[in-house]
Amino acid sequence: MIILDNVHYSYDGIYTALRGVSLQIDAGELVAIMGNNGAGKTTLIKHFNGLLRPQKGHVFIKGQDTAKMSVAEISRIVGLVFQNPDHQLFLESCRKEVEFSLKSLGYPSNEITERCNTTLERLGLADLAERSPFTLSGGERKRVALASVLATGPQVLALDEPTIGQDARQKERLAEMLFEMNREGRTVIVVTHDIEFVINYFPRTIAMSDGRIIADGPTTSVLSNDDVIQKCSLTYPQMTQAVRALSEMFDGVSVRQTSVNDIVETIIKIVGGR
Amino acid sequence: MGLIRFDNFSFKYYGTEKLALNKVSLTIDRGEYVVITGPSGCGKTTLCRAINALIPQFHRGYIGGHVYVNGMDTREHGVSDFASLVGMVFQNPENQLVTLNVEKELAFGPENLGVEPVEIRRRIEEIIDLLDLKSLREKHPHEMSGGEQQRVAMAAALSLKPEILVADEPTSNLDPQSAEKILEIIAYLNKEKGMTVVLVEHRLDLVAKDATRVILMDKGQIVVDGPPREVLVKDICHEIGVGVPKAVEVYRELIERGIRLPGVPLTGQELATLVQEVAE
Ligand SMILES: Nc1ncnc2c1ncn2[C@@H]1O[C@H](COP(=O)(O)OP(=O)(O)OP(=O)(O)O)[C@@H](O)[C@H]1O
Ligand SMILES: Nc1ncnc2c1ncn2[C@@H]1O[C@H](COP(=O)(O)OP(=O)(O)O)[C@@H](O)[C@H]1O
Ligand SMILES: [Mg+2]
Ligand SMILES: [Mg+2]
């Protein structure tokens, strides 16, 4: 679906934000991209829909070199949600915002209304439909930006830090929606610092640092590598920290478990067997 | 008296129908570290804006009740009267950054407060060092990644050496290690320098251990207010969709299963230590 071949990018000709990135993401994958601040994640995903063009190397979308495609053409395939919703929202109501993106992709008007309503509803925005995005709370505004792209159901979804400003419940609802769209065959790519979100929902993780991919593979193996955790400036989730501490105190505690339930069982075994 | 006091305070933004804050009464004393949490849209940012007088001085709307900061009524004093008292880190760092580069950004606040140039220089160096901003020194805010912008926004607020720090989701764009580092600095300034902290955060696993108090908000009201270990075990957290630290979830599940740990753990390490105590 998306292939990057040795992509380089520099904003100012001095500092290189991407230094030879190659990757392949197949149709229907669910992929997380993680990395420290300034690693190049946003720069990378802006290449997925042609907002940025490689200064060296190539980006292929569905086999076509993006050098020969317009942003309009690419954005029919790849829907991108920006890290900062302010860079995306410009209309006077949430409804108009979502309808605009549906219109620009040529949806018929009856479908526009329906898609708009369902998406706003699912993202907990139904009551805010007529409000101006600029008067919304930060988390709400982020969800409007997500709605305007999710509503169009693109083949590839590329989301830059979608969980910013979201409470636990909203995060779960968003994950459900992404799952559902993925089950329909869509490719879902998410940039995030939220390691629990990634461990819970994403089978594949690409780890970036200093403009390069430093690991790419099954989430469980990428995120259990101390070197990756350090370079990507991540910290282990609480449950991992807990089992690591427990395994030093007690024999026979497996450090591979991460869920609350696993750990509860482990603790019951420890204290029950005293 | 309280350093910050909300007295039955309500606010409705001009052009909207529902109260963003609904009869909030709240006293925060000097030296406290208060974490505000609650569902998206519940009024956290509005509460922050009310502390530095942006509400009602800048945002227009219906006002009921009063907010006093250091004894000054925010209805009667302009935003500038609170500038040296309250350092604010806004939810969207980009809106906060107003100058051309990081050094100017850090100088901007203190300059406006009339701080001596020599002292300003000293502070800039200290803060660049403290928050590890050397590589960003000459950068324009628009040439920074989201996380970099957020680090600079925090630095700019701290360069005021405020008595009160109000930080609205200040680590939302930060990678976990940078978030931890910044939160450590804030906890240090709170404990050692007596800076009062009001911090909005969804990820309680990051901040609960530093807080002296957690306030849970829902629909413009304060629904629970107390020490973190008391607040986070309550059912209401789950009911309104607030994510508690996983260690607290384990604690609660163990009670269901007939095991009561001798304390409420807020971190993975604390959980392990409590289990060890019980096992001995
Ligand atoms: N418009 C720009 N002009 C110049 N440099 C930029 C620009 N945008 C980003 N950079 C620089 O490029 C590098 C990579 O930035 P990018 O936004 O891709 O990082 P990121 O991995 O998304 O970080 P974050 O987690 O903080 O969002 C950083 O060093 C940043 O300072
Ligand atoms: N500038 C504004 N104008 C009108 N309504 C606003 C404005 N800012 C926030 N609101 C509304 O006030 C409520 C509380 O918002 P906010 O305090 O930003 O929530 P939180 O920070 O808890 O997510 C929300 O319903 C939001 O839509
Ligand atoms: Mg980014
Ligand atoms: Mg907010």
Side-chain angles (χ1 to χ4, degrees):
Chain A
M1 194 61 163
I2 297 181
I3 294 177
L4 267 67
D5 178 22
N6 193 28
V7 168
H8 286 74
Y9 189 85
S10 169
Y11 287 96
D12 52 12
I14 305 164
Y15 178 78
T16 312
L18 294 181
R19 323 170 172 228
V21 171
S22 300
L23 60 79
Q24 174 172 345
I25 295 174
D26 294 331
E29 276 201 89
L30 199 53
V31 185
I33 300 175
M34 303 195 82
N36 56 306
N37 290 133
K41 306 177 296 295
T42 296
T43 311
L44 175 68
I45 72 164
K46 283 185 174 168
H47 280 80
F48 292 171
N49 82 334
L51 271 181
L52 295 178
R53 306 299 178 128
Q55 288 158 352
K56 215 170 103 190
H58 297 273
V59 176
F60 301 92
I61 309 284
K62 293 179 92 175
Q64 263 204 76
D65 193 332
T66 57
K68 302 181 192 100
M69 298 164 84
S70 67
V71 178
E73 267 176 283
I74 305 173
S75 56
R76 283 177 185 281
I77 308 171
V78 183
L80 183 84
V81 179
F82 291 108
Q83 183 166 352
N84 186 342
D86 290 0
H87 299 170
Q88 191 165 336
L89 303 173
F90 63 102
L91 290 168
E92 61 269 36
S93 83
C94 303
R95 176 181 302 286
K96 285 190 180 150
E97 204 68 65
V98 178
E99 285 179 352
F100 176 83
S101 40
L102 288 161
K103 261 182 220 148
S104 57
L105 289 178
Y107 279 97
S109 58
N110 57 333
E111 207 178 321
I112 288 181
T113 315
E114 195 193 314
R115 277 178 175 265
C116 179
N117 287 339
T118 2
T119 312
L120 289 175
E121 172 70 42
R122 293 209 56 184
L123 288 168
L125 296 167
D127 293 343
L128 305 174
E130 313 309 330
R131 287 269 301 275
S132 156
F134 287 96
T135 68
L136 296 181
S137 83
E140 292 165 345
R141 199 154 56 229
K142 182 86 197 187
R143 296 206 298 285
V144 177
L146 284 162
S148 72
V149 172
L150 294 186
T152 65
Q155 290 170 49
V156 179
L157 274 164
L159 314 178
D160 204 348
E161 308 205 20
T163 65
I164 287 183
Q166 305 309 318
D167 57 71
R169 171 107 7 110
Q170 296 297 349
K171 235 194 265 189
E172 269 167 40
R173 290 171 78 174
L174 177 67
E176 270 165 33
M177 241 179 124
L178 296 182
F179 260 172
E180 203 174 294
M181 296 183 81
N182 179 250
R183 273 198 301 274
E184 293 163 1
R186 295 174 219 289
T187 311
V188 178
I189 304 162
V190 162
V191 169
T192 182
H193 296 297
D194 190 333
I195 194 164
E196 281 183 1
F197 190 69
V198 173
I199 290 175
N200 288 345
Y201 303 111
F202 292 80
R204 172 177 170 195
T205 297
I206 296 174
M208 288 187 74
S209 179
D210 212 5
R212 294 190 180 87
I213 292 180
I214 57 164
D216 179 357
T219 296
T220 42
S221 62
V222 171
L223 295 183
S224 56
N225 179 334
D226 287 338
D227 191 45
V228 169
I229 296 288
Q230 273 317 317
K231 287 202 173 113
C232 292
S233 204
L234 295 168
T235 51
Y236 283 111
Q238 262 196 3
M239 290 299 94
T240 307
Q241 291 177 9
V243 284
R244 288 193 170 199
L246 285 170
S247 76
E248 279 170 22
M249 298 168 178
F250 305 98
D251 295 333
V253 175
S254 152
V255 294
R256 297 206 67 85
Q257 45 193 348
T258 50
S259 78
V260 168
N261 284 341
D262 287 348
I263 285 152
V264 166
E265 295 307 329
T266 303
I267 292 174
I268 288 174
K269 242 183 262 160
I270 293 172
V271 287
R274 94 191 99 135
Chain B
M1 170 69 225
L3 182 57
I4 302 168
R5 190 158 65 90
F6 282 67
D7 181 11
N8 217 14
F9 187 76
S10 298
F11 185 76
K12 185 159 63 102
Y13 289 96
Y14 179 79
T16 65
E17 281 111 64
K18 108 184 169 282
L19 288 170
L21 290 179
N22 188 356
K23 301 204 169 134
V24 170
S25 290
L26 165 70
T27 304
I28 297 174
D29 288 321
R30 209 173 290 276
E32 284 197 80
Y33 187 137
V34 182
V35 166
I36 314 267
T37 195
S40 157
C42 72
K44 305 179 293 297
T45 296
T46 307
L47 188 97
C48 292
R49 288 172 178 156
I51 296 175
N52 72 346
L54 276 178
I55 289 176
Q57 302 294 344
F58 176 78
H59 295 276
R60 298 282 155 198
Y62 161 81
I63 315 160
H66 296 265
V67 177
Y68 304 92
V69 180
N70 207 14
M72 292 187 288
D73 188 336
T74 57
R75 285 185 173 203
E76 284 157 19
H77 291 260
V79 174
S80 59
D81 287 349
F82 298 92
S84 62
L85 200 59
V86 186
M88 177 98 174
V89 182
F90 290 86
Q91 185 164 7
N92 185 347
E94 205 173 309
N95 295 349
Q96 177 173 352
L97 304 176
V98 290
T99 62
L100 295 177
N101 67 43
V102 171
E103 284 197 20
K104 293 210 176 78
E105 197 62 50
L106 300 187
F108 182 77
E111 266 168 13
N112 282 348
L113 294 179
V115 177
E116 294 287 324
V118 188
E119 164 65 9
I120 294 179
R121 274 263 45 97
R122 205 191 54 75
R123 280 193 202 176
I124 292 179
E125 294 312 319
E126 182 184 291
I127 283 177
I128 285 185
D129 207 45
L130 193 65
L131 282 108
D132 198 17
L133 300 172
K134 271 176 254 28
S135 59
L136 302 176
R137 212 177 182 112
E138 320 256 289
K139 275 207 165 189
H140 188 282
H142 289 136
E143 299 166 353
M144 288 180 224
S145 77
E148 290 164 349
Q149 286 175 345
Q150 201 159 33
R151 279 222 310 275
V152 175
M154 175 60 74
L158 293 179
S159 75
L160 292 165
K161 294 211 183 276
E163 221 168 295
I164 305 168
L165 177 72
V166 178
D168 194 356
E169 303 192 29
T171 67
S172 57
N173 286 271
L174 297 184
D175 63 55
Q177 289 186 17
S178 307
E180 262 186 10
K181 232 177 276 163
I182 291 228
L183 290 169
E184 267 168 32
I185 292 169
I186 294 175
Y188 164 82
L189 292 172
N190 169 251
K191 280 207 197 79
E192 305 300 325
K193 310 277 173 192
M195 182 175 75
T196 306
V197 179
V198 179
L199 187 136
V200 177
E201 184 59 71
H202 289 293
R203 294 167 304 168
L204 298 173
D205 49 338
L206 285 176
V207 291
K209 62 178 191 314
D210 298 328
T212 53
R213 183 170 166 194
V214 172
I215 293 179
L216 219 64
M217 291 182 67
D218 192 26
K219 303 196 177 90
Q221 295 185 311
I222 292 178
V223 290
V224 189
D225 177 354
R229 289 172 220 274
E230 284 172 27
V231 171
L232 299 179
V233 291
K234 291 194 195 297
D235 294 335
I236 183 123
C237 297
H238 183 75
E239 283 158 22
I240 63 177
V242 160
V244 302
K246 287 281 192 295
V248 175
E249 284 184 33
V250 171
Y251 172 86
R252 284 172 51 105
E253 185 57 30
L254 283 171
I255 290 179
E256 295 280 302
R257 306 282 296 267
I259 296 169
R260 185 177 285 272
L261 297 178
V264 181
L266 297 175
T267 66
Q269 184 62 48
E270 280 181 15
L271 173 62
T273 309
L274 288 166
V275 169
Q276 194 175 32
E277 260 176 59
V278 174
E280 266 160 12

